[in-house]
Amino acid sequence: MSEDRIFSNLYNYTNDCAYRVAKTDFKKLSEIARVILNAKSNNKCIFTAGNGGSAATASHFCNDLTKGCRVYERNGFKCECLNDSLAVVTCL
């Protein structure tokens, strides 16, 4: 693949990502954030799940909430990814 083609692909991909981020429904996103923060305030557990590649995303999101949010001496969120338990998934 030529240098120009690589540059063009990267440029187009970046522009597409920026376009999609700009189209984000930030009102809906803030509502989701409020639900997640309320769950933490009320000592509730957040559950995630996914299928295929989305299972990895659901798992990673739990990792971010549990460990990644432990900054400035804050506690992480209580979170469980339902597809992380191989025993339960294969049982079902």
Side-chain angles (χ1 to χ4, degrees), residues 10 15 22 27 29 31 35 65 67 72 76 80 87-89 92:
L10 290 170
N15 279 333
K27 183 171 172 48
L29 193 58
E31 291 171 12
V35 168
L65 290 176
K67 183 184 180 299
Y72 307 113
E80 187 72 37
V88 172
V89 171
L92 296 174

Side-chain angles (χ1 to χ4, degrees), residues 1-90:
M1 188 179 286
S2 74
E3 194 71 26
D4 287 342
R5 178 73 185 242
I6 293 170
F7 176 87
S8 176
N9 286 343
L10 290 170
Y11 184 82
N12 290 337
Y13 175 77
T14 301
N15 279 333
D16 184 58
C17 288
Y19 171 75
R20 291 172 191 278
V21 167
K23 287 180 57 172
T24 297
D25 184 346
F26 290 101
K27 183 171 172 48
K28 182 59 71 179
L29 193 58
S30 66
E31 291 171 12
I32 292 167
R34 176 59 45 212
V35 168
I36 291 170
L37 290 170
N38 283 342
K40 184 176 185 189
S41 295
N42 293 309
N43 203 32
K44 302 288 184 182
C45 186
I46 299 164
F47 294 93
T48 65
N51 185 38
S54 297
T57 301
S59 180
H60 188 84
F61 184 56
C62 272
N63 288 340
D64 288 344
L65 290 176
T66 303
K67 183 184 180 299
C69 291
R70 292 173 57 188
V71 294
Y72 307 113
E73 300 184 29
R74 295 182 195 147
N75 292 325
F77 291 70
K78 287 172 45 176
C79 191
E80 187 72 37
C81 182
L82 299 175
N83 53 260
D84 276 351
S85 175
L86 188 56
V88 172
V89 171
T90 56

